[in-house]
Amino acid sequence: MNPDPNYERLREIGWRRPLTEAEQAELQEWLAAHPECQSDAEAEAALNQALAKLPDAPMPSNFTARVLQAVGQETQATERATRAVAGAWWRRFIPRLAVTTLIVGIAGFAYWHHQVEKQEELVRAAKNLATVDPAALEDFEVIRHLSQADEGLLSLSDDLLSLN
């Protein structure tokens, strides 16, 4: 069950000081509407009364110095955490940069190697063409016409196969 905010407010006030007459009346009115919380409210009131009877703990003579020391340590810890976070960005950036550089380097090398292979292939083809007998080049027109005839025969065979 989610308690009513007014009931929670009255409970918290009861922790700090005794309730006034108006606050006590407001609490009794709320408890009349919610009898299931009556036992909890009585236990809370008894606990508050028992705690109020306890003597205050003696204050050590160096209390102020200890508080200021704790505040100083907390401030230093916060500053160290801030510096660690601010300085950590490059620690994450350098490995990523290294991996990216490696990938780009490998890709660049692969592209360069591919270009060299293509160039060497073109050189080999040019050398082969230079060693061809000029008489073979005279028959080039005949060979070209034969390849066009082959294409016509292929299309004709496709038409014959589609008839079956």
Side-chain angles (χ1 to χ4, degrees), residues 90-107:
W90 64 270
R91 288 188 195 123
R92 290 188 309 254
F93 178 71
I94 296 233
R96 292 177 182 174
L97 178 66
V99 169
T100 304
T101 303
L102 182 66
I103 290 171
V104 168
I106 290 172

Side-chain angles (χ1 to χ4, degrees), residues 6-17:
N6 289 331
Y7 175 66
E8 287 297 319
R9 180 182 56 82
L10 292 172
R11 281 182 59 206
E12 291 175 11
I13 291 172
W15 297 340
R16 292 179 186 81
R17 61 171 173 77

Side-chain angles (χ1 to χ4, degrees), residues 77-95:
T78 304
E79 289 173 1
R80 279 194 305 269
T82 303
R83 278 183 281 165
V85 169
W89 70 269
W90 64 270
R91 288 188 195 123
R92 290 188 309 254
F93 178 71
I94 296 233

Side-chain angles (χ1 to χ4, degrees), residues 8-109:
E8 287 297 319
R9 180 182 56 82
L10 292 172
R11 281 182 59 206
E12 291 175 11
I13 291 172
W15 297 340
R16 292 179 186 81
R17 61 171 173 77
L19 295 176
T20 64
E21 292 293 326
E23 292 167 342
Q24 190 71 18
E26 185 181 350
L27 179 61
Q28 291 304 323
E29 181 182 323
W30 189 87
L31 288 173
H34 300 89
E36 69 275 2
C37 296
Q38 182 71 34
S39 63
D40 289 338
E42 290 172 0
E44 187 87 28
L47 179 62
N48 288 341
Q49 287 176 355
L51 290 174
K53 291 179 184 176
L54 290 175
D56 289 334
M59 190 69 67
S61 62
N62 63 349
F63 176 75
T64 305
R66 290 170 65 185
V67 168
L68 292 176
Q69 181 183 15
V71 168
Q73 288 175 348
E74 185 176 322
T75 304
Q76 289 173 356
T78 304
E79 289 173 1
R80 279 194 305 269
T82 303
R83 278 183 281 165
V85 169
W89 70 269
W90 64 270
R91 288 188 195 123
R92 290 188 309 254
F93 178 71
I94 296 233
R96 292 177 182 174
L97 178 66
V99 169
T100 304
T101 303
L102 182 66
I103 290 171
V104 168
I106 290 172
F109 178 76

